[in-house]
């Protein structure tokens, strides 16, 4: 099985920055896509940013120009640098990775437990 451990959330003032990290561990044969999703209170979970194993990146329009996703394949870790944060960025941020645990396993999605980001003065 693949485990995801997120870190880096917290309380920040509008205009501030945070960096989220998500490390995958356990039985890992291969990882394809890694990404961050977020769920604000009373809203559905939405994609924030994703990055493929080849480096292709996708952002939701509301974070373009402010958030940067990156990954370290040697460490099986994905990062989300969040700058110019706004109150509407307040949400629980979830890491997701698509991985195969063994060479005989199908690819499947794994989710982290979520980390809270609160943007407030």
């Amino acid at each position: 099985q693949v485990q995801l451990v997120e870190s880096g959330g917290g309380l920040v003032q509008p205009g501030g920055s945070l960096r989220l990290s998500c490390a995958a561990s356990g039985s890992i044969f291969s990882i394809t896509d890694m990404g961050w999703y977020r769920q604000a209170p009373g809203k559905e979970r939405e994609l924030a940013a994703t990055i493929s194993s080849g480096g292709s990146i996708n952002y939701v329009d509301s974070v373009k120009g402010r958030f940067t996703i990156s990954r370290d394949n040697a460490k099986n870790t994905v990062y989300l640098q969040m700058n110019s944060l706004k109150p509407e960025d307040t949400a629980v941020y979830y890491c997701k990775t698509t991985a195969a645990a063994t060479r005989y396993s199908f690819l499947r999605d794994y989710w982290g437990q979520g980390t809270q980001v609160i943007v407030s003065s």
Side-chain angles (χ1 to χ4, degrees):
Q1 290 296 322
V2 177
Q3 293 84 41
L4 300 178
V5 177
E6 300 144 335
S7 61
L11 173 65
V12 64
Q13 293 186 344
S17 298
L18 284 175
R19 189 188 193 214
L20 306 182
S21 298
C22 173
S25 63
S27 176
I28 301 172
F29 175 72
S30 66
I31 295 178
T32 58
D33 296 340
M34 303 186 83
W36 292 94
Y37 290 70
R38 64 185 185 179
Q39 188 167 18
K43 295 187 177 181
E44 294 186 353
R45 192 174 298 187
E46 67 169 0
L47 178 151
T50 61
I51 183 169
S52 72
S53 56
S56 296
I57 290 173
N58 184 38
Y59 296 105
V60 67
D61 285 346
S62 59
V63 310
K64 286 180 180 178
R66 301 187 298 119
F67 290 11
T68 302
I69 190 170
S70 61
R71 63 190 284 174
D72 184 335
N73 291 328
K75 295 181 179 179
N76 291 328
T77 299
V78 62
Y79 306 96
L80 187 66
Q81 178 66 44
M82 305 185 293
N83 298 329
S84 302
L85 283 161
K86 303 176 181 180
E88 49 264 43
D89 295 317
T90 294
V92 178
Y93 284 71
Y94 296 91
C95 172
K96 189 185 89 169
T97 187
T98 303
T102 73
R103 66 172 62 246
Y104 306 108
S105 303
F106 291 107
L107 288 167
R108 56 156 286 189
D109 292 335
Y110 295 89
W111 291 87
Q113 79 284 357
T115 185
Q116 178 74 57
V117 171
I118 300 174
V119 185
S120 175
S121 55

